[in-house]
């Protein structure tokens, strides 16, 4: 099946006022399938917005191609592209009603009033705003405005919807609710979504695939589970959630040894040599050192943080090295600072990133 969107060797260089140059896109290649929810994830300044703008036609590429449905869009102006964008700042027309905002693209295209009303009504129902047709944007909450912006972007039936950090202005609870709603909406309308965020939780919650970007390049593309469980680099491992990263030497046969001499049992197949072992805090189990299981790491509790459902611990291994981060469910019995403990894990969950870096 042909991807709906193909980015080929995209390069965009900006001159800086200081006389230098920034490679905002530095050879980006990406395919997005029909119906897919793809998230561009990365720190501020890594090129996410530039890539969206290049797809939308607001930004020219210095090199490379954007293709939609196989057609090169180089000479196609933004308003003729089969894509639409939802911005963080809603960008609604404040003097128009909700219904007219939503139907605006149809009005411009000369579609008759009855059809405009019908289609705007359908979309408002889809985003849960039925009954609010006659309100003005100032009479809506932030979440409702964002829903109007979504409906408005979908009414022209784009093949791809581009969303640039659309939830970042909302408070945490509403953001989490909108994450679920957005994913459901995408399933229902069957449009491909390219969603930009710097929030790893948002990316994990909604995406079919996550594209992790760094300095104008794609670091890794994969399902949320692949990105979380099998990061290809320390950058990706660090960016997606908390993690323990231990520099080790791997013997190629299941045993990794840290600089401090801590032995880790690893099931994953990997070549012998230097590597970084990645272990998520929730993959470690704490027990009292008196009942230490085989292959456990012995240490002492240096800090305990109570977070309601979860407890976070920092553990100093007796062998030394960086503190280990451990999360545990709050099951009534915690471990206290100074206590001798054993850290154990399932060898299946340890992931090795090859190399020295
Ligand atoms: N119009 C511009 N002129 C100069 N530099 C720009 C311009 N737009 C973006 N940049 C630079 O390009 C890089 C990528 O920016 P951007 O795509 O906005 O990143 P992100 O959306 O991931 O935060 C940044 O270093 C930014 O400063
Ligand atoms: Mg941006």
């Amino acid at each position: 099946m042909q991807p709906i969107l193909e980015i080929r060797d995209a390069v965009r260089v900006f001159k800086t006022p200081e006389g230098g140059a920034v490679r905002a896109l530095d050879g980006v290649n990406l395919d997005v399938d029909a119906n897919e929810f793809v998230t561009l994830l990365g720190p501020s300044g890594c090129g996410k917005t530039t890539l969206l703008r290049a797809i939308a036609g607001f930004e020219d590429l210095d090199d490379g191609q954007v293709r939609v449905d196989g057609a090169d869009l180089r000479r196609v102006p933004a308003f003729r592209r089969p894509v639409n964008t939802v911005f963080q700042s809603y960008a609604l027309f404040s003097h128009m009603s909700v219904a007219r905002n939503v139907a605006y693209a149809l009005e411009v295209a000369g579609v008759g009033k009855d059809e405009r009303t019908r289609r705007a009504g359908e979309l408002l129902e889809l985003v849960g705003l039925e009954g609010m047709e006659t309100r003005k944007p100032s009479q809506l909450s932030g979440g409702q405005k964002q829903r109007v912006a979504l409906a408005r972007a979908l009414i022209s039936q784009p093949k791809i919807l581009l969303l640039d950090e659309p939830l970042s202005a909302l408070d945490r609870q509403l953001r989490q609710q909108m994450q679920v709603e957005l994913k459901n909406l995408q399933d229902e309308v069957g449009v491909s979504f390219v969603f930009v965020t710097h929030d790893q939780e948002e990316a994990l919650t909604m995406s079919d695939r996550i594209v992790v970007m760094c300095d104008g390049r794609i670091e890794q593309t994969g399902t949320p589970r692949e990105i979380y469980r099998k990061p290809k680099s320390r950058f990706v491992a660090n960016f997606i959630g908390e993690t323990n990263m231990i520099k080790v030497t791997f013997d190629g046969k299941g045993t990794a040894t840290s600089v401090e001499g801590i032995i880790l049992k690893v099931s994953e197949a990997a070549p012998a040599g230097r590597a970084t072992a990645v272990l998520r805090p929730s993959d470690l189990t704490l027990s009292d050192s008196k009942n230490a299981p085989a292959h456990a790491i012995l240490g002492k509790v240096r800090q305990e943080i109570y977070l309601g459902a979860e407890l976070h611990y920092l553990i100093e291994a007796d062998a030394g090295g960086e503190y280990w981060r451990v999360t545990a469910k709050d099951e009534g019995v915690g471990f206290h600072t100074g206590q001798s403990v054993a850290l154990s894990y399932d060898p299946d969950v340890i992931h090795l990133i090859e190399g020295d870096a």
Side-chain angles (χ1 to χ4, degrees):
M1 193 179 62
Q2 181 173 16
I4 190 92
L5 172 67
E6 297 158 278
I7 313 282
R8 290 288 170 269
D9 305 314
V11 173
R12 180 65 174 139
V13 183
F14 290 114
K15 296 218 165 31
T16 61
E18 301 80 35
V22 179
R23 296 181 80 80
L25 299 177
D26 192 11
V28 169
N29 283 284
L30 176 67
D31 285 355
V32 174
D33 285 331
N35 262 322
E36 206 180 12
F37 196 126
V38 169
T39 298
L40 309 179
L41 175 69
S44 180
C46 70
K48 306 180 297 293
T49 293
T50 304
L51 184 54
L52 272 205
R53 287 172 55 82
I55 298 167
F58 301 135
E59 195 77 68
D60 288 331
L61 291 176
D62 294 307
D63 206 353
Q65 274 190 347
V66 173
R67 291 201 289 261
V68 173
D69 256 349
D72 184 354
L73 296 188
R74 188 184 310 263
R75 298 194 196 293
V76 181
F79 70 96
R80 284 198 198 285
R81 296 191 178 197
V83 307
N84 223 334
T85 308
V86 175
F87 301 97
Q88 181 189 329
S89 61
Y90 324 127
L92 301 177
F93 300 119
S94 56
H95 61 288
M96 290 184 192
S97 69
V98 163
R100 195 161 165 223
N101 261 287
V102 171
Y104 188 70
L106 302 183
E107 191 177 323
V108 171
V111 175
K113 184 147 202 305
D114 288 351
E115 191 182 341
R116 293 200 315 255
T117 307
R118 182 181 60 75
R119 280 170 59 185
E122 278 172 12
L123 277 165
L124 283 168
E125 194 183 329
L126 201 61
V127 297
L129 288 182
E130 60 271 46
M132 303 214 179
E133 286 80 356
T134 59
R135 287 205 196 179
K136 293 279 166 60
S138 61
Q139 296 167 313
L140 300 175
S141 69
Q144 290 168 333
K145 283 183 204 163
Q146 195 52 276
R147 291 189 177 92
V148 175
L150 274 167
R152 186 181 57 176
L154 286 167
I155 203 152
S156 45
Q157 299 178 317
K159 290 180 178 163
I160 305 164
L161 191 65
L162 308 171
L163 305 103
D164 197 353
E165 313 225 15
L167 306 183
S168 53
L170 307 177
D171 65 49
R172 183 179 163 80
Q173 218 176 353
L174 186 55
R175 207 163 66 224
Q176 288 177 332
Q177 184 191 335
M178 287 290 286
Q179 286 167 12
V180 176
E181 284 186 25
L182 257 183
K183 179 65 188 138
N184 291 341
L185 179 68
Q186 189 264 336
D187 281 341
E188 244 173 285
V189 294
V191 171
S192 301
F193 278 26
V194 181
F195 182 96
V196 162
T197 184
H198 60 271
D199 181 310
Q200 47 103 5
E201 182 197 289
E202 212 159 273
L204 291 171
T205 306
M206 295 189 292
S207 319
D208 295 318
R209 264 187 319 144
I210 297 175
V211 177
V212 183
M213 292 182 69
C214 174
D215 288 342
R217 295 179 158 276
I218 293 179
E219 277 277 316
Q220 186 173 356
T221 302
T223 63
R225 178 169 276 114
E226 282 163 359
I227 296 282
Y228 186 76
R229 281 289 164 200
K230 307 280 179 197
K232 282 186 185 155
S233 65
R234 292 172 68 94
F235 175 84
V236 174
N238 240 331
F239 203 76
I240 310 280
E242 274 208 283
T243 189
N244 295 290
M245 286 198 269
I246 307 100
K247 291 200 172 182
V248 296
T249 304
F250 187 54
D251 68 356
K253 295 176 295 191
T255 302
T257 310
S258 81
V259 188
E260 299 81 22
I262 295 172
I263 306 283
L264 295 172
K265 291 288 167 194
V266 182
S267 310
E268 190 176 76
R274 300 263 182 113
T276 298
V278 177
L279 254 169
R280 299 291 177 181
S282 57
D283 293 333
L284 287 156
T285 305
L286 271 179
S287 54
D288 192 279
S289 60
K290 288 188 211 94
N291 330 311
H295 310 303
I297 303 154
L298 299 176
K300 288 194 178 55
V301 178
R302 287 301 173 216
Q303 200 177 7
E304 43 170 328
I305 303 161
Y306 180 73
L307 287 176
E310 273 185 351
L311 288 158
H312 287 206
Y313 295 99
L314 289 180
I315 309 295
E316 182 177 19
D318 292 340
E322 279 186 47
Y323 287 4
W324 293 71
R325 293 163 181 277
V326 183
T327 55
K329 286 211 182 69
D330 179 16
E331 290 168 323
V333 275
F335 296 86
H336 57 82
T337 304
Q339 187 174 349
S340 291
V341 289
L343 288 178
S344 53
Y345 54 87
D346 177 348
D348 283 347
V349 301
I350 297 191
H351 169 59
L352 293 178
I353 297 170
E354 284 173 45
D356 243 343

